[in-house]
Amino acid sequence: MPESTTVQPELEAERNYVSMLYSRLDELRAEKVEQLTRTRRTGPQGSIQNVSERDSFAALYEDRLAQLNAVEDRLVFGRLDLDDDANRAGEEAGSPRYIGRIGMTDEDLTRLMVDWRAPEAAAFYQATALRRQGVRRRRHLMLRGRTVLGIDDEVLDTELFSENGSLQGEGALMAALTQKRTGRMGDIVGTIQAEQDRIIRSPLAGVLVVQGGPGTGKTAVALHRAAFLLYEHRERLKTAGVLLVGPSNSFMRYIERVLPSLGETGVVMSSVGELYPGIHAVPEHSREAARIKGKAFMAKVVAKAVSNRQRLLAEDRRVVVEGTRLVLTRGAVRHAREKARASRKPHNEAREIFTKTLVRELADQLQQVLEDSSGTGNAVDRSYLLQEVRESRDVRIALNLCWMPLTPQSLLEELFAKEHLLAAAAPQLNARELAALHREPGAPWTESDVPLLDEAADLLGDFKAVGNKDAGVEAQLKRDVENAEATLRNVNEMLFNAGIDGLVYAEDLAAMNQETEARQSAAERAVADRNWAYGHVVVDEAQELSPMQWRLLMRRCPLKSFTVVGDIAQTSSASGANSWAQAMKPFVAERFTLEELTVNYRTPMQIAEAATRVAHAAGLKISTPKAVREGQWPPLVDRLAPGQLLAKLHEVLPGEVAIADGGLLAVIVPETRLAQVRAAVVAQFGRRVGTGSGGLSQDIVVLGAREAKGLEFDVVLVIEPQELIDEVEGSVGDLYVAMTRTTQRLRLLAEGAIPAGIDTEA
């Protein structure tokens, strides 16, 4: 903004203050680097307690340094000028209060800057002319690097009008809305609006559902809420952690920098396809398979599949133990199964009860045979018989045929590969549905499979194979302790002879020689642990989740503390929700709070209205947030003759790229045309084109509507809009999403039909 003679002194003062804040940031970084270096230099010395304390301090310094490094960009963004009586402890009366990404004090603990999440910062987002909350003036600081480029004031106290030549207040917001997109989401911490701030600061407990149409900032609200909760409830959440779930890997890459920029580096972020440890699922391309797998009854199908693997014998079975023939009877197997099931333990754990019961039965039978053959009254010790029975090949085969240890992957792979097994577990499915679920062994796991794998893991429990790693580690530790005891006997004798008491124990000595695992944060441990119970879960684009996916997420957070954001109108998945009540009722009944974002900050008014007309023409009931700005262009529609699509795309792309002017242009394409259109655009623009989920770093990206969900671009070209509807069985959700991704300009190209509601100007 121009630096007038009135603004210049204020601007220089702000530049000096911001420079001081960055100097203090550099001091804090240097301090943590020095502390971390000194701590690491000590090495693993002293007692186990000393080593543990050293690691704890190192972790503390590492986390703080990561936070200090992450807040470099726009460290401070706001200032409040307050009434004299509005200042808090640590502030001089009448002094301005600076708002930034983290809290900061000088060496004397005088406050230099307030964390945006602190209660003292709330007025920066909530104060209005009618309810000033002690605020006389709210100032936005616009930075590039470490330099203040401009200031934008909102005067709330009329007595200051004479001091301020003009009443501004929307400059910072409009600058943020119209800046070029980069393929990475930026935070809105400096421009959060009162409606958004109220939701961000909502209480932690319970389920908060945030309904928001396109451009309302629901994703930004979700991310800033996660950062706020971690600040406000640090003690509760720092160990349990926060899980943030998004719809795709593209989306997760798009938002991955936001939370670190807000001072939080410990949130677990995962797409729905990554929620099962060790599985990197691909999209489910069969809508019929996705629909069936997402149904709630699939939990019973998986349970039945597990139950069906706990088999009885069709007839008594002969087994040989050390040359002696024994009989494994149907009745004994039935009794053992009933006993194992009565324990209510998971399949693999209950199997131990099943096998122990039958091994004991066969050992007793073997003992009776041996006693009969050697004469009555023989009191020979037969305790070894249990081991002989357990090691018999015949017995192991028989027990495994009845009750095999299973992994979730092996259970589902066999279930979906063998139609008779699936039919037995899911009698409610018809032949067409059974065929839709068929998958070849070794096929990639899909996003629809992930909740089924999780369900199976819950029912199966831990898989413990013979000679597993844990058993090996335990055995090695036992040997180490025995060696240490032998060593200490000699050492302690020497110390005793010298009149010195020995203070070292064998377990301590053995533990010191054990190879310790690299330190892991709570977030890192949570990612690898399927049973981790999170303190809070944030779900974005939640309207797409199936009942089975919700079931998985509820298992991840037993306290049912959720922030759920989405837009029902954008539902396009085969098993997504038609209403929030439908999605939530099976898990929390009516015990959820519904909030709605009512202002569209991203989408220009003409384009938002066109997308709304398309939705209404399809009979879709949607929220219609008010757009805050009118764009330069209405949506443009090119009606093409058959066979002209690629030629027209080649013709218009250079002009659209020029309009994007260094921003981000997206070509959103039906799945069936993706390969063809990508090839054509790459042939025209070469390395400037990004493809797939990793393409957002380029200035032109070609992707499907599903991958575009949650993202935003400066210019959007939609290819064959009617096909976007047809490929999701008539739902306009994907087209509605595609049309509302743009911040500036929308153009649609179609050889086929034009959906109702779109104005045609070209």
Side-chain angles (χ1 to χ4, degrees):
M1 58 184 290
E3 297 181 14
S4 66
T5 55
T6 305
V7 173
Q8 183 61 32
E10 290 282 324
L11 192 57
E12 287 301 320
E14 298 298 2
R15 285 172 175 168
N16 290 336
Y17 195 87
V18 170
S19 178
M20 180 271 295
L21 290 175
Y22 272 107
S23 295
R24 180 57 178 158
L25 179 66
D26 291 338
E27 290 174 4
L28 293 172
R29 286 171 175 165
E31 177 184 291
K32 295 306 167 190
V33 168
E34 193 278 330
Q35 290 173 329
L36 182 59
T37 302
R38 187 170 62 246
T39 301
R40 286 173 172 168
R41 194 180 296 131
T42 61
Q45 301 173 2
S47 67
I48 295 176
Q49 180 178 347
N50 289 341
V51 173
S52 177
E53 289 177 353
R54 183 210 62 162
D55 289 345
S56 295
F57 277 115
L60 180 66
Y61 299 146
E62 287 170 357
D63 291 344
R64 180 58 172 166
L65 188 57
Q67 182 191 53
L68 295 173
N69 288 332
V71 298
E72 170 72 25
D73 184 41
R74 292 180 297 139
L75 172 66
V76 57
F77 49 80
R79 165 183 149 174
L80 294 176
D81 293 348
L82 304 166
D83 295 334
D84 288 347
D85 60 353
N87 290 78
R88 303 289 180 89
E91 296 174 334
E92 295 182 7
S95 64
R97 180 182 299 165
Y98 284 85
I99 313 298
R101 297 181 179 277
I102 58 173
M104 190 180 292
T105 62
D106 63 15
E107 292 181 346
D108 299 323
L109 300 183
T110 300
R111 185 157 62 185
L112 304 176
M113 183 171 67
V114 176
D115 191 301
W116 68 275
R117 297 164 290 187
E120 296 91 333
F124 183 76
Y125 304 107
Q126 298 171 1
T128 66
L130 293 177
R131 297 180 179 177
R132 294 195 297 112
Q133 301 184 32
V135 177
R136 305 190 74 196
R137 173 169 54 199
R138 172 168 43 221
R139 171 168 291 174
H140 295 269
L141 307 177
M142 287 168 275
L143 277 66
R144 178 180 299 161
R146 295 187 168 195
T147 303
V148 180
L149 296 182
I151 56 178
D152 182 51
D153 284 347
E154 294 175 84
V155 177
L156 306 184
D157 184 353
T158 55
E159 293 182 4
L160 288 183
F161 281 167
S162 59
E163 302 175 23
N164 198 52
S166 61
L167 178 64
Q168 302 166 34
E170 292 188 350
L173 176 61
M174 287 303 157
L177 296 178
T178 57
Q179 68 183 0
K180 301 299 182 184
R181 267 48 195 172
T182 64
R184 297 282 189 174
M185 183 179 180
D187 62 70
I188 61 167
V189 65
T191 57
I192 294 171
Q193 302 301 292
E195 176 184 69
Q196 298 170 326
D197 187 71
R198 178 177 55 80
I199 294 172
I200 289 169
R201 296 175 189 268
S202 296
L204 169 66
V207 177
L208 174 67
V209 178
V210 183
Q211 162 66 33
T216 55
K218 54 186 177 293
T219 296
V221 166
L223 292 168
H224 288 70
R225 175 161 168 75
F228 170 78
L229 292 177
L230 282 163
Y231 175 89
E232 187 75 2
H233 304 277
R234 180 73 62 186
E235 289 304 312
R236 173 175 168 180
L237 296 179
K238 70 178 180 180
T239 53
V242 172
L243 171 65
L244 190 146
V245 179
S248 66
N249 290 333
S250 299
F251 179 82
M252 302 315 292
R253 290 190 183 96
Y254 177 63
I255 67 172
E256 66 184 357
R257 296 180 183 175
V258 176
L259 281 167
S261 76
L262 297 173
E264 294 299 341
T265 57
V267 177
V268 175
M269 302 174 66
S270 175
S271 65
V272 292
E274 308 281 326
L275 285 171
Y276 189 91
I279 297 295
H280 305 286
V282 300
E284 182 73 73
H285 293 294
S286 167
R287 286 184 64 80
E288 179 70 352
R291 180 187 66 80
I292 300 168
K293 291 178 183 178
K295 294 287 187 181
F297 73 77
M298 287 301 294
K300 294 182 178 179
V301 171
V302 175
K304 183 66 173 175
V306 173
S307 178
N308 288 347
R309 298 301 296 271
Q310 300 163 4
R311 304 182 180 105
L312 298 175
L313 292 175
E315 57 185 15
D316 293 349
R317 183 184 181 96
R318 294 187 179 277
V319 295
V320 177
V321 178
E322 292 294 320
T324 302
R325 291 189 176 184
L326 305 175
V327 178
L328 185 63
T329 66
R330 296 172 60 194
V333 172
R334 183 183 298 277
H335 169 71
R337 187 176 76 166
E338 290 172 354
K339 185 176 180 180
R341 286 180 172 178
S343 71
R344 298 190 177 277
K345 291 184 176 182
H347 173 91
N348 290 329
E349 295 175 31
R351 180 181 182 274
E352 295 181 18
I353 299 173
F354 176 80
T355 57
K356 284 180 180 179
T357 302
L358 290 179
V359 166
R360 170 58 66 183
E361 167 72 19
L362 291 171
D364 289 345
Q365 190 180 141
L366 178 59
Q367 181 167 347
Q368 186 63 49
V369 171
L370 294 176
E371 289 181 353
D372 289 347
S373 65
S374 61
T376 58
N378 193 324
V380 177
D381 179 20
R382 307 287 189 183
S383 58
Y384 64 89
L385 296 181
L386 283 172
Q387 188 65 23
E388 289 189 352
V389 171
R390 192 177 292 113
E391 293 177 353
S392 165
R393 182 173 181 274
D394 275 8
V395 172
R396 293 202 308 270
I397 291 174
L399 296 185
N400 282 337
L401 287 173
C402 293
W403 196 307
M404 175 76 80
L406 297 166
T407 66
Q409 291 90 328
S410 64
L411 175 77
L412 291 185
E413 189 162 84
E414 189 173 24
L415 181 68
F416 290 137
K418 298 180 179 179
E419 186 174 319
H420 70 281
L421 294 180
L422 183 57
Q428 63 269 62
L429 298 181
N430 58 38
R432 177 179 56 81
E433 291 171 323
L434 292 173
L437 294 183
H438 177 79
R439 50 169 280 146
E440 293 297 326
W445 296 106
T446 70
E447 291 170 357
S448 300
D449 292 325
V450 167
L452 305 184
L453 288 167
D454 197 72
E455 191 75 27
D458 212 47
L459 295 168
L460 294 173
D462 291 337
F463 179 88
K464 294 183 179 179
V466 175
N468 63 45
K469 179 182 176 182
D470 290 341
V473 170
E474 187 175 339
Q476 182 61 49
L477 179 58
K478 183 179 179 180
R479 289 191 293 270
D480 289 343
V481 170
E482 291 172 350
N483 292 334
E485 286 175 343
T487 301
L488 286 175
R489 277 195 296 271
N490 297 327
V491 172
N492 284 334
E493 185 176 348
M494 294 171 58
L495 293 173
F496 178 79
N497 292 334
I500 302 172
D501 291 333
L503 300 176
V504 181
Y505 295 95
E507 289 78 9
D508 294 339
L509 186 59
M512 288 293 289
N513 289 315
Q514 292 292 306
E515 182 178 346
T516 58
E517 295 183 2
R519 182 192 69 85
Q520 288 186 312
S521 66
E524 290 169 330
R525 296 196 306 273
V527 169
D529 186 354
R530 193 195 67 83
N531 295 310
W532 190 273
Y534 290 94
H536 191 78
V537 176
V538 179
V539 189
D540 202 352
E541 300 294 346
Q543 75 280 351
E544 302 295 338
L545 296 189
S546 70
M548 286 301 295
Q549 288 169 329
W550 277 117
R551 186 176 170 92
L552 180 159
L553 290 177
M554 292 292 169
R555 192 179 291 124
R556 294 290 190 274
C557 186
L559 294 176
K560 292 184 170 55
S561 178
F562 280 76
T563 298
V564 175
V565 302
D567 180 13
I568 290 296
Q570 296 184 42
T571 303
S572 60
S573 72
S575 51
N578 295 320
S579 70
W580 291 118
Q582 179 194 37
M584 295 291 104
K585 188 174 181 179
F587 308 101
V588 296
E590 306 297 329
R591 297 186 301 276
F592 66 91
T593 302
L594 180 62
E595 296 278 4
E596 185 165 2
L597 294 167
T598 62
V599 181
N600 182 343
Y601 299 99
R602 177 183 67 224
T603 317
M605 188 180 301
Q606 308 99 308
I607 296 171
E609 290 174 350
T612 299
R613 287 194 300 272
V614 170
H616 286 166
L620 196 63
K621 294 182 179 180
I622 62 170
S623 56
T624 54
K626 180 182 178 182
V628 299
R629 61 193 177 91
E630 185 172 351
Q632 187 175 348
W633 300 277
L636 306 177
V637 182
D638 294 280
R639 293 178 177 271
L640 308 174
Q644 295 301 305
L645 176 65
L646 294 183
K648 185 65 175 179
L649 180 62
H650 181 83
E651 174 189 328
V652 304
L653 262 177
E656 301 299 325
V657 171
I659 290 172
D661 189 25
L664 196 58
L665 180 147
V667 184
I668 301 180
V669 189
E671 294 291 335
T672 54
R673 293 181 181 262
L674 259 177
Q676 180 189 40
V677 172
R678 278 176 177 166
V681 178
V682 169
Q684 187 173 4
F685 287 94
R687 294 182 178 179
R688 295 181 63 184
V689 180
T691 60
S693 61
L696 296 178
S697 59
Q698 308 292 57
D699 56 357
I700 304 170
V701 59
V702 182
L703 71 173
R706 181 184 178 280
E707 286 182 301
K709 195 176 291 288
L711 311 183
E712 55 186 50
F713 310 94
D714 296 279
V715 176
V716 169
L717 273 70
V718 177
I719 305 300
E720 295 296 350
Q722 185 60 45
E723 290 184 17
L724 290 176
I725 296 175
D726 294 340
E727 71 181 7
V728 288
E729 300 173 348
S731 169
V732 299
D734 277 0
L735 176 58
Y736 184 69
V737 167
M739 293 179 66
T740 54
R741 296 307 91 198
T742 182
T743 64
Q744 303 295 333
R745 178 175 168 94
L746 172 68
R747 188 164 193 161
L748 301 98
L749 280 65
E751 294 176 349
I754 301 293
I758 299 178
D759 289 337
T760 56
E761 299 183 31

